[in-house]
Amino acid sequence: MTLTLDAPRIVETRPLLEVKAVSKSYGPVQAVRNVSAHAYPGEVLGIVGESGSGKSTLLRMMNLEEIPETGSYTLDLPDVSGNLFELDRFARRMLCATKIGIVYQNPHLGLLMKHSSSGNVAERLLVAGERSFATLRQAATEALDASEFPLDRLDAPPIELSGGMQQRVQLAKAIALEPALLLLDEPTTGLDVSVQALVLDTLKRLQQDRQITMVIVSHDLGVIRTLADRVMVMRRGEVVETGLADQIFQDPQHPYTQQLVHAKL
Amino acid sequence: MTQVLEIDRLTKGFSLHHLEKDIAAFEDISFSVAAGEFVLLKGANGAGKSTLLRTLYRSYLPLSGEIRFHSSHGMIDLARAADVDVAHLRRTEIGFVTQFLTARPRVSAEAIVAEPLRLAGWEHEAALKTARKALETFGVKPDLWAAYPTTFSGGEQQKVNLARALILPQKLLMLDEPTASLDANARRALVARLQELKDQGTAMIGVFHHPDDVIHLIDRVVDLTPDAAPQEDRDDVAL
């Protein structure tokens, strides 16, 4: 078997995100079993695994949409403390609006499809307490611009937009409040390959310009390889392997990871 | 001489679970590299030269042994260092040069070359200026600096790749056949840049299909052929 790695010695900053020993069942099905994960400031953590591996459930826990039966969740941010799973509904909602952004695979989950695109982004700012119309419009426009959304379509409702554009609106909404943490749940699944490349490129740019900490969940290894610094492989609710992205892809250790990597075209 | 890297009884193999097979790559390799020293890895195809480089960079996980790297933060064993520490060292002190460019859509040649400087905290304009100079040194025409390398020929991509990989002086540099597919001018520029880095104290470990390209840089040869004499001076070796 391989060597066990040491604890960090050079990097002294603490992880921004730390999830410890979380478990969650739905009836008789154990979706997530004793999983721990962390991400350092500015790091992109990729989570791969097939459908039913528990990776999306884990991401929804990080967005406080799911509360596990056991385990803890901390974010190392000013004025955020304690186990976030223990927050009440209101505090949870406030924290998500101001510190965490999320992009779902299905834009219907993240957007009001019949409201204008800029309105969708501005809603985020309203939740956080911004009331001036001029400021709202300005901030929404900036966020959409950073997501490379065409500004002549600010008022178009997402329902009239292509899949790639809908994802850009979601992304703009997610980054409008400059969150410390950006969660991405299969953000490019279902898009045409060329559109997928453009959305990935936008994400990469944002990450480099703003140094946002990201957690990205995908069953698409190409997406993970493009974006992630470190990769966690999940299967049947458990973590089977973690490592640097290039190591996971070039020298996978676990039989399941080997199978996954070799199955890629 | 200041040691930069001490490799101690390093062993690497691969377990292919679906074949239920273990494949040995190299066993009990030991040698060290000092600041400003250039070590050439020698051995037949399959002797494990590239595998060794990738293991030192931690793209591959070693089975056993130590890779003691004297970083600016003190000694650290790369064989067991935490992923986050390895990632940090790759951004700041350890470089890896291959013959392939990972071009990204819609990123210009000069931006790709400037990226390591930006990640190291350089200011945007200064990074671009230095990047353009590096592109010029490797013979990429000014018309192409703002263009996207995804459409470049293999040779031009390789020049962009080298300009990027060598732009930031590193403490330790791994070279995996960087001269393949280079024209004579670019090869000269590469050797000149390597000499410059060597003079500044960068320790280098390289695999070259045609070692003649870098013959003047080589201080020592390490032969990975099993049962070969462990180390030789370059004068004793017919390259």
Side-chain angles (χ1 to χ4, degrees):
Chain A
M1 216 25 233
T2 43
L3 299 162
T4 324
L5 300 182
D6 295 336
R9 289 185 35 221
I10 294 179
V11 174
E12 286 170 347
T13 45
R14 293 200 307 169
L16 176 113
L17 166 156
E18 210 159 7
V19 171
K20 278 192 190 148
V22 292
S23 295
K24 171 94 186 170
S25 325
Y26 300 101
V29 182
Q30 178 119 42
V32 171
R33 192 193 308 260
N34 195 26
V35 167
S36 297
H38 63 269
Y40 283 86
E43 193 179 38
V44 181
L45 173 69
I47 306 178
V48 289
E50 57 206 12
S51 316
S53 60
K55 58 190 193 308
S56 292
T57 305
L58 182 64
L59 197 80
R60 286 201 300 273
M61 287 178 189
M62 293 175 182
N63 197 40
L64 296 172
E65 290 169 62
E66 294 275 1
I67 303 299
E69 284 121 27
T70 56
S72 68
Y73 178 18
T74 52
L75 288 178
D76 188 28
L77 291 171
D79 46 81
V80 176
S81 61
N83 179 0
L84 304 181
F85 292 137
E86 288 164 3
L87 293 177
D88 64 40
R89 257 183 128 71
F90 177 75
R92 222 186 279 167
R93 193 177 156 176
M94 221 32 220
L95 180 82
C96 287
T98 53
K99 311 286 187 203
I100 305 175
I102 188 162
V103 175
Y104 299 95
Q105 176 185 354
N106 182 349
H108 290 261
L109 285 175
L111 299 174
L112 296 163
M113 296 306 278
K114 292 179 180 170
H115 288 60
S116 73
S117 293
S118 60
N120 264 287
V121 179
E123 189 227 310
R124 209 2 107 98
L125 303 156
L126 274 168
V127 173
E130 182 55 56
R131 288 294 178 267
S132 143
F133 179 78
T135 314
L136 285 172
R137 178 87 182 174
Q138 171 73 15
T141 308
E142 274 169 22
L144 282 160
D145 194 31
S147 308
E148 299 176 88
F149 182 87
L151 295 185
D152 54 346
R153 309 220 54 194
L154 281 181
D155 297 318
I159 199 161
E160 292 175 8
L161 300 170
S162 67
M165 284 306 145
Q166 290 174 348
Q167 292 311 67
R168 289 181 193 283
V169 180
Q170 275 209 78
L171 187 57
K173 180 177 170 182
I175 61 166
L177 284 170
E178 309 207 341
L181 174 65
L182 181 59
L183 305 173
L184 304 153
D185 189 5
E186 307 268 8
T188 61
T189 305
L191 300 177
D192 284 346
V193 178
S194 57
V195 179
Q196 191 174 20
L198 293 179
V199 173
L200 286 179
D201 182 42
T202 304
L203 286 170
K204 186 111 199 163
R205 246 164 231 255
L206 273 176
Q207 206 279 326
Q208 285 190 347
D209 293 349
R210 306 191 179 197
Q211 292 289 303
I212 311 177
T213 307
M214 293 188 186
V215 180
I216 176 163
V217 158
S218 186
H219 70 276
D220 186 335
L221 297 184
V223 170
I224 298 293
R225 177 175 236 157
T226 309
L227 289 174
D229 300 311
R230 216 153 43 76
V231 175
M232 190 163 111
V233 184
M234 286 187 72
R235 187 192 194 199
R236 293 182 191 149
E238 291 180 301
V239 177
V240 298
E241 183 169 358
T242 60
L244 290 163
D246 56 324
Q247 183 253 299
I248 293 289
F249 287 107
Q250 295 180 36
D251 188 19
Q253 307 289 310
H254 191 277
Y256 175 69
T257 316
Q258 291 191 354
Q259 194 190 328
L260 205 67
V261 169
H262 294 146
K264 168 141 177 72
L265 292 176
Chain B
M1 274 199 297
T2 330
Q3 293 300 343
V4 170
L5 194 70
E6 296 164 83
I7 300 160
D8 192 359
R9 298 184 65 97
L10 193 66
T11 299
K12 175 59 187 164
F14 299 91
S15 296
L16 303 181
H17 293 285
H18 66 292
L19 300 174
E20 290 178 22
K21 217 171 151 183
D22 288 330
I23 295 174
F26 52 79
E27 220 174 287
D28 281 342
I29 300 282
S30 301
F31 67 94
S32 40
V33 193
E37 201 179 14
F38 188 111
V39 171
L40 178 78
L41 297 182
K42 194 185 130 184
N45 284 342
K49 303 186 293 286
S50 293
T51 305
L52 175 58
L53 288 185
R54 287 179 195 179
T55 308
L56 299 177
Y57 197 62
R58 258 284 289 283
S59 294
Y60 292 164
L61 280 177
L63 292 180
S64 61
E66 291 187 359
I67 310 166
R68 293 189 294 269
F69 175 59
H70 295 264
S71 80
S72 59
H73 306 266
M75 202 278 286
I76 185 160
D77 178 7
L78 296 175
R80 301 165 167 268
D83 290 326
V84 65
D85 282 345
V86 174
H88 178 83
L89 289 171
R90 287 178 180 182
R91 276 195 303 275
T92 50
E93 300 185 28
I94 303 178
F96 196 107
V97 188
T98 65
Q99 47 177 304
F100 305 107
L101 174 75
T102 6
R104 289 204 312 274
R106 295 196 301 152
V107 183
S108 67
E110 56 191 25
I112 287 184
V113 176
E115 198 173 84
L117 299 173
R118 296 280 288 141
L119 289 175
W122 282 47
E123 187 266 325
H124 186 67
E125 275 308 310
L128 267 189
K129 212 175 138 196
T130 308
R132 289 181 189 134
K133 198 149 182 260
L135 284 166
E136 190 176 18
T137 311
F138 279 100
V140 180
K141 292 188 200 76
D143 307 354
L144 295 177
W145 295 352
Y148 305 143
T150 26
T151 57
F152 290 8
S153 71
E156 296 304 301
Q157 286 201 2
Q158 171 63 341
K159 291 177 194 171
V160 176
N161 178 43
L162 290 176
R164 174 192 160 97
L166 299 173
I167 198 159
L168 204 62
Q170 313 271 18
K171 214 166 171 165
L172 173 66
L173 194 58
M174 259 78 82
L175 302 149
D176 194 359
E177 303 221 20
T179 48
S181 81
L182 277 190
D183 59 39
N185 283 334
R187 212 175 306 143
R188 259 196 301 278
L190 170 66
V191 173
R193 178 62 179 152
L194 291 179
Q195 182 69 59
E196 205 172 277
L197 291 171
K198 190 173 183 305
D199 294 343
Q200 289 171 26
T202 299
M204 302 185 197
I205 308 176
V207 176
F208 288 83
H209 202 63
H210 301 288
D212 309 1
D213 294 341
V214 290
I215 187 112
H216 301 295
L217 299 173
I218 300 169
D219 297 304
R220 213 144 42 87
V221 178
V222 170
D223 194 339
L224 292 188
T225 314
D227 304 321
Q231 293 183 18
E232 308 156 73
D233 282 328
R234 87 164 187 233
D235 303 333
D236 310 337
V237 177
L239 291 165

